[in-house]
Amino acid sequence: MSVLFDPHALITINLVGMLTMLLLWLLNRETPGVNYLLLAATLIITSLLLLLQDELWLRLPPWLWILSINLPYISALWLVTAGLYRFLARPIPWSAIGGILLCYGLALACFTWIQPSPVHRAILTTATLVVNMVWNIHYAHRWMRQRYPYTYRLMLILGGGIIVLLLWRLSLLPQPQQPGNTVASPAMTLLFFAMMTSNHLLTLLFVSLSHEKKSEQLIQAATHDPLTGLLNRRGMQLAIERWQQAVRATSGAVILVDVDHFKRINDTLGHDKGDDILVWLAQMLQPLPVVGHVSRHGGEEFLLFLPDIDLSDAAAVAEQLRQRLQDHPPQGLSVTASFGVATLNAASPLRAALHEADLALYQAKQSGRNRVEVASSLP
């Protein structure tokens, strides 16, 4: 046996991997799904240690040894799948995962007790591993490709490589009806290598996911308002800049929204109630009747950006929102808002459009509040 597969080296390498995963867990305990990955790493270590029972002075019955190696390892890989679902806040398909593990366990027991066959067990385990890898790659393609592109590519490369190795392993297995019905050494070597590296691949996957998650959180903090959850001024500016870079010969609209008599609300009811009003307004402005973005522009002022729309349609949207606020006031209060609408050209600076919208908003305030004014109609 080479140094790579030396039992003592294997135990040391995987214990180091386990300690690394434990350290990462201690540093990132609040990360969703990390508990599943830690449990998966523990099961893989358990499976590997049992595989080396002679080195650990264990003497398990053959049937128990076979089940103790295969079931923890297969369960660990499906726990990784559950961890990915949990990490992305998706419902974990426990019924499907449980059904697969149940079918695997029953088939493994059959090929261990009823019709003992090492080749059938190897085919069963390899096929289950391929299903797991295909499932994870499909899930990553559907839910991680846009949000976590680097981890998605990592999973695609590693998962695809493991699938190739597993299919190669299948091709090396003898036919079940051949004399002896034993698994060839090259096939066992490939499976052993997959088991040995799984723990370290888990660590690599977790590090990549955690890095991209923290980057996402930093971007979220830099571009979103913590009180309302809406885009902040910087986030809206970036959204408008992306639109302006993508189109050249079209126009959109910006709408400034300001809560009427907000200072009076703060002075009489307190700032906590004022914050509640801002959260209520953020919720009422969504969803927009058309495609667009909503942001908290500052204080009690909100900014709406409607791409690819003319001024009259933007004014109609503003009126619809004004009516929505008036018809659904916060409990026990009468709260309204004024709206200023202006055109935003793809080639024009945002500052000019905001100035026009601000003038329209000022006119709405001067004309009695709770109304919509359009920049083009100003004297």
Side-chain angles (χ1 to χ4, degrees), residues 8 25 43-44 48 107 142-143 260:
H8 298 91
W25 175 78
L43 290 176
I44 291 173
L48 273 169
R142 184 175 182 183
W143 298 109
D260 295 331

Side-chain angles (χ1 to χ4, degrees), residues 181-356:
N181 195 23
T182 58
V183 179
S185 178
M188 284 300 298
T189 300
L190 285 176
L191 179 61
F192 206 52
F193 179 76
M195 294 178 69
M196 183 189 70
T197 56
S198 295
N199 201 19
H200 305 290
L201 294 180
L202 277 181
T203 304
L204 184 61
L205 175 65
F206 175 72
V207 170
S208 179
L209 275 175
S210 297
H211 175 73
E212 289 201 89
K213 181 73 173 179
K214 289 181 178 179
S215 297
E216 182 185 53
Q217 290 172 342
L218 289 174
I219 294 173
Q220 177 79 9
T223 58
H224 286 72
D225 173 54
L227 177 64
T228 63
L230 297 176
L231 292 172
N232 59 19
R233 186 185 293 242
R234 175 60 178 162
M236 178 62 87
Q237 183 179 353
L238 291 174
I240 293 174
E241 286 177 355
R242 284 193 294 268
W243 172 75
Q244 289 180 321
Q245 292 169 2
V247 297
R248 297 297 180 188
T250 187
S251 63
V254 290
I255 304 173
L256 280 175
V257 185
D258 190 87
V259 180
D260 295 331
H261 303 296
F262 187 73
K263 185 176 184 303
R264 183 188 303 171
I265 294 174
N266 272 335
D267 291 343
T268 58
L269 302 178
H271 289 277
D272 288 342
K273 194 63 178 181
D275 287 347
D276 292 341
I277 296 298
L278 295 177
V279 172
W280 163 81
L281 181 58
Q283 294 170 346
M284 294 302 296
L285 292 175
Q286 301 175 95
L288 289 171
V290 296
V291 175
H293 300 279
V294 183
S295 70
R296 185 180 177 193
H297 197 56
E300 71 274 20
E301 199 169 71
F302 292 76
L303 174 63
L304 282 59
F305 165 55
L306 310 180
D308 309 322
I309 192 173
D310 61 37
L311 197 58
S312 60
D313 289 339
V317 169
E319 178 58 31
Q320 185 175 343
L321 293 173
R322 187 202 65 79
Q323 192 66 45
R324 184 192 295 177
L325 298 178
Q326 181 175 289
D327 295 343
H328 301 89
Q331 188 175 10
L333 294 173
S334 176
V335 180
T336 60
S338 301
F339 294 73
V341 187
T343 297
L344 173 64
N345 293 314
S348 301
L350 173 61
R351 182 180 302 177
L354 290 178
H355 177 70
E356 294 293 320

Side-chain angles (χ1 to χ4, degrees), residues 163-175:
I163 289 174
V164 170
L165 286 176
L166 292 172
L167 294 177
W168 184 21
R169 179 181 188 253
L170 279 178
S171 69
L172 296 175
L173 293 174
Q175 296 297 320

